[in-house]
Amino acid sequence: MEQTLHRVAVTGMGAVTPIGLTVAQTWESMTKGLHGIGPITRFDTEGYKATLAAEVKDFDPRQYMEKQEVLRSDLFTQYAMAAACQAMEDSGIQEKVAPDRFGCIFGSGIGGIRTLESEHSKLLERGPKRVSPYFVPMMIPNMAAGAIAIRFGCMNSVMPAVTACASGSNAIGEAMRLIRHGYADAVITGGTEAAVCGVAIAGFSNMQALSTVTDPEAASLPFDRRRGGFVLGEGAAALILEDYDHALSRGAVIYAEICGYGSTCDAYHMTAPRPDALGGTKAMELAMEEAGYTPADRVYVNAHGTGTPMNDRLETVVIKNALGQAAGDACISSTKSMTGHMLGAAGAIEAIACVQALRTGVIPPTIHLLEPDPDCDLNYTPNQAVQADITLALSNSLGFGGHNACLAFRRAAQ
C-alpha cells in the first residue's frame, strides 16, 4: 500500500541570538550586516588562547519562565524555552492540535556544559554534598525538548538531536519526517546552545578550532583567506512545523514550506570532513531531490561556513558537486560571520534565515569578506545584503562526527 506523504509548513518562528532577542531583531541585524562578536564577559579569559565570543546580550529568562524554573535549568534550556515560547505565540497553534499529535524535537550539541563546569567545581572545592540535586536534569541534552514538551503539552515523539554542529538541522529534518509520514500533525523544533564557558573555550581552542585574533572585526571570516577558526556563539531558534492541510484548515499564516531533507555521515574522522566531500554532497543532493529541484530554480544556500580553513574549502566543493554548473549562479552566504557558530543552534537560526530570505527576497551577507580565498570562488554575498528572487533555499550543517544535514525550503503556496 502506497503511503500518502504530507506537505509540511513553517507556521511559527522564535529566536534568541547574539544579534537579537527575537526573529525580527535577528533578521534586521543580519540584513544590515551587524555582528554580535566581542570580548568574552562570562569569565576571566586571562591565559586563554581565544578571548572573543558571540554572546547573547540582555537576555532575561524570567520573561518566559517562573523563577524556580530558571533556578532549576541550565541556560541552554532557558534559551530554548524562550525561542519556543516566541514560536508558539507566533503560530497561534496552542490548543489547536491534539496533544498526542504534537511533538517536540529540539537539538543541542553539548547540553548543560555550564552546569557541568560549575557543579564539578563545587564537588572539588566543597565536597559531594554540595552538588545540586538538579545537576543531572539541568545538564542532560534532552532537557530542552523535555521542558518545552511539559510547557506546551507535547505528547507525541519528544527527543533531542545531538549531532554536534548539525543538531539543529537534524532536529528540524526529523521533525519534518514525523509530519510528512503521518506520525504527527505539528512539531516544535529547533536547536539551542549555551557553551560560552571556560572549559568549552579551552577545549575548542586547544583543538585549534577557534579564532584567536583579538579584533572582533577580523575574527569570524568565512571564505576569506585570512580565516583561522570559528567564533563560539550561543542562543536558540525554534520553528513550528505543521501539516500543511492542518495549517490551512485553521487559517494559519504559512511562512514557507519545508520540502527537503538530507542526512548523511562521512564515516571518516572525529572532526575532519572527508577530503572528497562525498557526505556533504550527498546530503545536499538528497534535500534537493526531495524538494523537486530543477535547473530553473534560483537557489540560495545558507552555508555552514564556519571560518575554519578546511570547512570552507571543502564546503565550496560540496556546493559545486551538488549544484553542478548552477553553483556559479547561486546566492550563498554564511550568517556565522555575524552570529558566530551557535553549535547546536546554528542549523535552526540558519533555517530561519532561509525562510526569511524566501519571504523577503533579501540575501543576508557574509560580512568581513575582504580577501577572497581562491579555493572559495563562488558568490558568497560579500559584506552587503542583496535582493534576489529565489525559489529554493538550502541550509547546510556539517558536524563533528561526520554528521551532514541539508534542509530545503520553498515559498508558501496557499
Side-chain angles (χ1 to χ4, degrees):
M1 181 176 174
E2 188 173 338
Q3 185 182 31
T4 299
L5 297 180
H6 300 252
R7 295 172 65 191
V8 183
V10 178
T11 59
M13 300 185 291
V16 174
T17 77
I19 55 175
L21 297 179
T22 63
V23 169
Q25 290 174 8
T26 298
W27 181 243
E28 181 179 13
S29 295
M30 279 186 181
T31 56
K32 289 182 176 179
L34 303 177
H35 70 82
I37 298 166
I40 292 170
T41 65
R42 301 284 169 78
F43 61 93
D44 184 356
T45 58
E46 179 70 28
Y48 285 78
K49 297 175 185 177
T51 59
L52 300 179
E55 298 178 341
V56 171
K57 293 90 175 168
D58 303 319
F59 174 68
D60 182 3
R62 292 172 296 181
Q63 292 182 355
Y64 305 96
M65 306 170 74
E66 297 296 329
K67 181 179 179 181
Q68 286 302 311
E69 290 180 291
V70 173
L71 293 173
R72 296 172 181 176
S73 62
D74 186 89
L75 187 58
F76 91 102
T77 297
Q78 295 168 20
Y79 286 156
M81 184 63 76
C85 286
Q86 292 177 23
M88 284 294 292
E89 182 177 0
D90 187 37
S91 74
I93 198 173
Q94 186 72 49
E95 299 182 354
K96 294 181 181 178
V97 59
D100 66 343
R101 299 289 297 171
F102 197 17
C104 179
I105 302 184
F106 222 88
S108 181
I110 301 176
I113 193 168
R114 287 162 52 94
T115 293
L116 175 61
E117 182 182 65
S118 63
E119 295 301 317
H120 185 251
S121 294
K122 286 183 189 178
L123 174 67
L124 295 181
E125 296 167 8
R126 301 166 65 185
K129 292 183 179 180
R130 305 301 300 187
V131 173
S132 171
Y134 296 101
F135 164 54
V136 172
M138 289 173 68
M139 173 193 68
I140 51 181
N142 68 301
M143 197 47 63
I148 292 167
I150 292 167
R151 169 68 66 87
F152 296 111
C154 303
M155 297 180 69
N156 194 272
S157 184
V158 173
M159 63 182 71
V162 185
T163 50
C165 312
S167 299
S169 290
N170 279 134
I172 295 167
E174 297 302 323
M176 182 197 80
R177 285 180 175 172
L178 274 182
I179 299 168
R180 186 178 292 290
H181 293 279
Y183 295 106
D185 292 329
V187 182
I188 306 171
T189 187
T192 184
E193 209 76 81
V196 182
C197 61
V199 69
I201 293 292
F204 279 120
S205 295
N206 290 345
M207 66 181 297
Q208 299 183 330
L210 295 185
S211 171
T212 57
V213 303
T214 56
D215 179 4
E217 306 300 323
S220 185
L221 303 174
F223 305 109
D224 192 292
R225 71 195 310 166
R226 299 168 296 155
R227 68 188 185 278
F230 67 80
V231 174
L232 188 64
E234 62 172 358
L239 299 88
I240 307 301
L241 302 190
E242 188 173 351
D243 178 279
Y244 213 97
D245 289 338
H246 187 279
L248 289 176
S249 70
R250 69 179 185 88
V253 174
I254 298 177
Y255 293 124
E257 180 175 358
I258 179 167
C259 53
Y261 171 46
S263 179
T264 66
C265 185
D266 284 349
Y268 172 73
H269 188 271
M270 281 197 300
T271 56
R274 285 179 66 106
D276 60 8
L278 180 63
T281 298
K282 187 63 175 177
M284 281 194 73
E285 289 174 343
L286 289 169
M288 291 162 60
E289 180 181 4
E290 189 175 16
Y293 168 79
T294 74
D297 273 311
R298 298 178 298 277
V299 177
Y300 167 56
V301 180
N302 188 293
H304 190 56
T306 58
T308 62
M310 192 176 297
N311 173 90
D312 295 4
R313 179 176 59 82
L314 284 174
E315 189 175 9
T316 299
V317 175
V318 165
I319 295 169
K320 288 179 176 179
N321 288 348
L323 287 173
Q325 292 184 339
D329 298 323
C331 298
I332 306 164
S333 66
S334 172
T335 47
K336 288 183 179 71
S337 60
M338 295 172 278
T339 64
H341 192 345
M342 294 166 62
L343 303 182
I349 192 58
E350 290 157 15
I352 288 177
C354 285
V355 171
Q356 294 290 74
L358 282 166
R359 294 180 65 218
T360 65
V362 177
I363 305 300
T366 305
I367 67 169
H368 300 142
L369 180 46
L370 304 178
E371 298 181 25
D373 184 336
D375 289 334
C376 302
D377 56 354
L378 297 173
N379 174 18
Y380 302 107
T381 318
N383 304 309
Q384 290 188 326
V386 298
Q387 291 285 144
D389 182 24
I390 59 171
T391 61
L392 179 67
L394 303 169
S395 179
N396 286 341
S397 295
L398 316 173
F400 287 169
H403 304 289
N404 307 295
C406 181
L407 302 171
F409 299 87
R410 290 193 182 276
R411 289 196 194 102
Q414 294 176 255

